[in-house]
Amino acid sequence: MASATLNIDLNAIAQNWRALDRLSAPGVQTAGVIKADAYGLGAAEVGLALARAGARRFFVAHSAEGMALRKVLGPGPQIAILTGHLAGATEMIRDHDLTPMLSSLEQITRHLESLPGHPFGVQLDTGMNRLGVKPADWQAIAPILLAAEPALLMSHLACGDVPDHPANEAQLAAFHAMTDGTGLPRSLSATGGIFRGPRYHFDLTRPGIGLYGGLPFADATPVVQLSLPVVQIRHLDPGETVGYGCTWVAKRPTTAVTLLGGYADGLPRSLSNRAQLWAGNRACPLIGRVSMDLITVDVTDLPEIPDSLELLGPAQGIDSLAEFAGTISYELLATLGQRYDRQYQEHSA
Ligand SMILES: *Cc1c(COP(=O)(O)O)cnc(C)c1O
C-alpha cells in the first residue's frame, strides 16, 4: 500500500437514503443533500448512486456545484441551490436548469427580474437567523410571490438533532404560520428533523449527514473506511520523545510506527495525543502531534507490526473519531480525504 485509500460504500449511502425515506409517509419525498462535494465523499458518485436508488431531488450549496451535478445527472432531477440566486449566477442557473432557494428580498427581486418564469423556491427564516425571508417581509411579499408559483417553501431547524429542544416546536409553529394555506410544497427537516416525527416531514425531507452514516441517524450503515499505511518503524527507549514539540515521552520501551496521513489529509491536529487507531479489534494510541503528512502510533502491545492501521472502520466510526478531535462528523468528513485516493464500492443490491 503506497498511499492511503478512502473507501466509500455507495451501497451503504443508497441503503441509508432508503431507510430515511421509509421513516416518512409514502407521499413524502426524500431529497439528497450533497453540498460540499457530498460532505467530501464525491458529489458525482454519490449523486448517481442516489439517483439509482430513486432520489429525484438534490440540494447543493453553490450554483457551481449544481452545474457540475447537472452534467453528471443529465436533465430531469431537480437540483436546488441552498445559497439561492447570488449575483453573477444567473447564467449558470438558467443554462443548467438549477432551482435557487431564494433567501432574501434582494434575491427574489434579482431572480424575478432576470429569469422570469424560471423555477425557484423560497427559504423562510423561522428562527435560525442564518438564511431566509423574515416573517414580516414574507407577509408583505407573499401575495405577489405566490402568484409566481414557487416550487418549494422551505426552512431549516437550528436544533433538529436535539429531541426535546423547545426551538423545534417554535420553528414548526412559525413555519405553519408562514406557509399554511399557500397550497405549495413545503420542506422543514434535514436528518435530525426526520426523527422528530411526521409533523415535521411536510412534502419533502432533506437528509445529508444521515446518508453518510453520521449521527443523529444512530442506525445508519457505515459508509467510510480508512486505513493508513505504515511507512516507518521506531524502537524507543524510555525518555525518548515523539514528534513536534516533544509532547509525548516514552515511559517504557516502545514500538512506534509512522503512518501516512496528517492534517493536510484532513486529520484534525486536535487529534494529537488523543485518537486511537485500530489493528482489528485492538486499539493503539496516536502519540505526539499530528503533523502535515504523518502521524505516529504506539503499537508496543500488538503481537506483530501491521502493514497499516485503521482510522475509520467497524471499530471506530466518524462520530467517534470526530469526538476525539472535539468536532462533529460533518466537519471531519468535509475536510477528510481531499488528498486520498477514493475507492468506491458499489455492488448490485
Ligand atoms: C446542510 C443542510 C441540510 C442537510 O442537513 P443534515 O443535518 O446534514 O441532514 C438540509 N437543509 C439545509 C438548509 C442545509 O443547509
Side-chain angles (χ1 to χ4, degrees), residues 33 35 39 82 123 130 154 156 190-192 206-210 330:
V33 178
K35 62 194 181 191
Y39 294 38
L82 287 167
Q123 296 193 66
R130 184 178 68 168
M154 61 166 279
H156 194 45
T191 304
R206 312 184 306 269
I209 194 67
Y330 298 70

Side-chain angles (χ1 to χ4, degrees), residues 121-167:
V122 182
Q123 296 193 66
L124 302 171
D125 188 351
T126 53
M128 187 167 173
N129 286 310
R130 184 178 68 168
L131 286 179
V133 179
K134 301 290 291 181
D137 290 334
W138 178 241
Q139 237 182 350
I141 58 158
I144 311 157
L145 202 60
L146 294 180
E149 289 185 43
L152 187 69
L153 300 180
M154 61 166 279
S155 189
H156 194 45
L157 297 171
C159 307
D161 57 337
V162 185
D164 295 319
H165 202 292

Side-chain angles (χ1 to χ4, degrees), residues 33-51:
V33 178
I34 56 175
K35 62 194 181 191
D37 202 24
Y39 294 38
L41 300 182
E45 291 82 358
V46 172
L48 280 173
L50 289 175

Side-chain angles (χ1 to χ4, degrees), residues 234 236 240-244 246-250 252 254-258 271-277 284-291 294-300:
R234 282 268 176 284
L236 307 173
E240 286 197 271
T241 65
V242 167
Y244 284 121
C246 303
T247 59
W248 187 88
V249 185
R252 57 172 182 169
T254 298
T255 305
V257 291
T258 302
L271 292 175
S272 298
N273 284 309
R274 299 187 62 133
Q276 295 178 329
L277 285 90
C284 307
L286 191 161
I287 57 177
R289 288 203 182 137
V290 174
S291 56
L294 302 163
I295 55 172
T296 310
V297 176
D298 182 347
V299 296
T300 314

Side-chain angles (χ1 to χ4, degrees), residues 182-204:
T182 60
L184 293 170
R186 298 185 280 185
S187 176
L188 179 62
S189 287
T191 304
I194 292 174
F195 293 98
R196 303 287 72 80
R199 292 188 305 131
Y200 284 81
H201 296 166
F202 294 90
D203 301 294
L204 175 76

